[in-house]
C-alpha cells in the first residue's frame, strides 16, 4: 500500500492497524493500481479502510470508461454539455489509443469546432501514449490546427514530441 502524498509504502498490517484504531486522514492505494486510471479518476478516495465491510469490495478505482462504448464516449466528448464532455475526456484518455480511429473519423466533420475538439484530444493522446498516431492522422490534425490555431487552445511547446511540431512557430 502507498501512503499519500509521497511514495511511502507500508504493509497490510499498517492498513489493518489504522482500521482497528480508527485512525483518520490516511490514504491507501494498492501499489499496482493503474496510474492512468488514477490520473483521470476524480472520485477515487483510496481504499476504504474505515468502511463497514472488511476487506473492502473495491480495492481499485473503477475505470472511468466503464459503462459506454468508445463511440459513445467520443460523441459525449464532442457534445456541447460541459460536464458530459469533461467526463468523456477522462474516459477517452483512459481508453488511450483504442479511441484514436474513432476520433480520426471526426476530423472530417463539417463543423470546425467539432474537428478542433477531436484534434485536441488526439494531440493529447499522442503526447500521452508516445506516438500512437499514424502519419495520415497526424497530418490531418495539423491541417485542422492550421485552419484556426486560435481555437486550438494552448499549443504544446515545440520539440516535446507533439504532432504539431512541424507547424508550430519557432
Amino acid at each position: 500500500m502507498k501512503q499519500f502524498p509521497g511514495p511511502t509504502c507500508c504493509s497490510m498490517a499498517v492498513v489493518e492497524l489504522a482500521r482497528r484504531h480508527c485512525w483518520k486522514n490516511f490514504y491507501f492505494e494498492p501499489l499496482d493500481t493503474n496510474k492512468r486510471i488514477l490520473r483521470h479518476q476524480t472520485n477515487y478516495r483510496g481504499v476504504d479502510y474505515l468502511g463497514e465491510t472488511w476487506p473492502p469490495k473495491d480495492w481499485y478505482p473503477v475505470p472511468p470508461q466503464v459503462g459506454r462504448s468508445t463511440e459513445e464516449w467520443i460523441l459525449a466528448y464532442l457534445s456541447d454539455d460541459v460536464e458530459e464532455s469533461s467526463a468523456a475526456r477522462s474516459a477517452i484518455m483512459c481508453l488511450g489509443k483504442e479511441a484514436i480511429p474513432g476520433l480520426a473519423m471526426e476530423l472530417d466533420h463539417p463543423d470546425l469546432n467539432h474537428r478542433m475538439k477531436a484534434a485536441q484530444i488526439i494531440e493529447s493522446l499522442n503526447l500521452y501514449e508516445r506516438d500512437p498516431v499514424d502519419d495520415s492522422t497526424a497530418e490531418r490534425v495539423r491541417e485542422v490546427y492550421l485552419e484556426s490555431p486560435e481555437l486550438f487552445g494552448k499549443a504544446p511547446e515545440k520539440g516535446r514530441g507533439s504532432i504539431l511540431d512541424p507547424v508550430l512557430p519557432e
Side-chain angles (χ1 to χ4, degrees), residues 65-106:
Q65 72 269 27
V66 169
R68 290 188 186 180
S69 69
T70 302
E71 292 76 23
E72 290 171 318
W73 282 121
I74 291 170
L75 288 175
Y77 172 70
L78 297 169
S79 77
D80 291 331
D81 182 330
V82 175
E83 266 186 51
E84 186 175 33
S85 184
S86 177
R89 186 181 198 295
S90 295
I92 290 170
M93 291 303 292
C94 283
L95 285 166
K97 54 185 158 191
E98 177 184 330
I100 288 178
L103 288 165
M105 290 183 352
E106 298 298 328

Side-chain angles (χ1 to χ4, degrees), residues 22-71:
C22 296
W23 293 344
K24 300 199 183 321
N25 296 327
F26 280 84
Y27 173 86
F28 300 101
E29 74 183 43
L31 280 174
D32 61 345
T33 300
N34 184 328
K35 300 307 178 221
R36 171 180 286 180
I37 292 171
L38 278 183
R39 193 172 298 121
H40 297 287
Q41 181 61 279
T42 58
N43 62 356
Y44 180 65
R45 303 288 180 248
V47 173
D48 185 11
Y49 69 98
L50 295 174
E52 286 184 30
T53 306
W54 190 256
K57 186 177 87 175
D58 298 319
W59 288 91
Y60 297 93
V62 177
Q65 72 269 27
V66 169
R68 290 188 186 180
S69 69
T70 302
E71 292 76 23

Side-chain angles (χ1 to χ4, degrees), residues 6 12 17-18 27 36 55 62 67 97 103 115 118 130-131 138 145 155:
M12 194 61 191
L17 193 62
Y27 173 86
R36 171 180 286 180
V62 177
K97 54 185 158 191
L103 288 165
R115 291 193 307 273
R130 306 208 195 294
D131 277 342
Y145 173 76

